Amino acid sequence: ADHGLTEAGASFLSDRVGQTVCSERVTIRDDFAHPLHRGIPFDIEGVARKRVELIRDGVAKGPVFTWENARRLEAEATGHHQSETVVGEYEGARHLVMEGEGSTQEELLEVVGDGVVIPGLERLRLVDSQAIRVTGVSTGGVRVVEGGALVASGPPMRMECGLIELLCGVLGTGTPVWSVGGIVPAIAVEHLPLRSTRAF
């Protein structure tokens, strides 16, 4: 959700600010001050970080800004000039928080009906920054759901999907918890594309 990428057409927010981009159940922000993040209150330029709503009730709200881009575009700097060893300096959101509805596991299973539970994902990789398309493998296999109840264990499965497309199919959410890459709730979704790992 950085503005440099947005300007270049390489962000999912490109030309979509103010538009519905996913389910109205989805609200995502960048929030360094969330108790589970406890991030540094300024970026590498010393600019104070701000909480920034990226998506509110499914509607794209806006990007984050470095000091330089904010001045150039006559916007407010949000303190999002980042630096990482592998990618170097960049402008982007780093402390993602997705709100949740607080549904219990039983309630989410009931919403799913028939499907699978993915307890976690590993080997996550971004394959398309504009569509926010990712791949990953389920950690320790999957759990099979029938009639809203867990009935069996299944083998590891590989997922490849666009996250925004996935967030269009949100059926329910749990309570947010810390996870690598952000604070997210358990999410019940429809039509999650999975494949056997034996094909790879």
Side-chain angles (χ1 to χ4, degrees):
D2 72 77
H3 200 276
L5 287 176
T6 303
E7 270 193 307
S11 166
F12 77 91
L13 287 179
S14 300
D15 302 320
R16 301 185 76 181
V17 173
Q19 296 179 18
T20 298
V21 295
C22 57
S23 167
E24 64 181 15
R25 294 177 180 270
V26 176
T27 292
I28 300 174
R29 68 184 183 277
D30 185 83
D31 185 357
F32 75 95
H34 190 285
L36 296 179
H37 274 312
R38 293 184 293 172
I40 297 171
F42 49 85
D43 69 6
I44 64 172
E45 296 179 300
V47 177
R49 292 191 194 276
K50 299 189 182 309
R51 294 181 179 98
V52 178
E53 275 199 334
L54 306 172
I55 299 174
R56 164 61 62 185
D57 299 329
V59 177
K61 290 308 211 176
V64 297
F65 290 96
T66 61
W67 176 260
E68 179 182 351
N69 278 338
R71 287 186 63 192
R72 184 169 53 83
L73 298 165
E74 298 181 356
E76 182 180 10
T78 60
H80 283 84
H81 194 153
Q82 319 283 7
S83 179
E84 290 186 10
T85 305
V86 176
V87 297
E89 293 186 18
Y90 67 99
E91 176 185 59
R94 187 175 195 163
H95 301 95
L96 297 177
V97 177
M98 179 176 172
E99 293 182 6
E101 300 167 315
S103 297
T104 65
Q105 176 175 312
E106 291 73 21
E107 290 170 334
L108 293 177
L109 291 175
E110 187 176 335
V111 167
V112 168
D114 296 330
V116 297
V117 171
I118 300 174
L121 291 168
E122 59 186 3
R123 289 185 260 170
L124 285 171
R125 186 167 61 92
L126 180 67
V127 294
D128 183 337
S129 64
Q130 185 167 5
I132 316 182
R133 193 163 190 82
V134 298
T135 64
V137 175
S138 62
T139 307
V142 297
R143 300 290 305 277
V144 179
V145 181
E146 290 182 2
L150 295 171
V151 296
S153 294
M157 302 291 284
R158 178 175 293 275
M159 170 199 76
E160 180 175 337
C161 66
L163 289 185
I164 296 300
E165 177 184 331
L166 180 73
L167 293 177
C168 286
V170 173
L171 302 172
T173 58
T175 301
V177 296
W178 185 88
S179 179
V180 176
I183 295 165
V184 295
I187 305 170
V189 298
E190 55 183 347
H191 308 304
L192 179 65
L194 295 172
R195 296 181 184 179
S196 168
T197 57
R198 294 175 185 172
F200 293 87

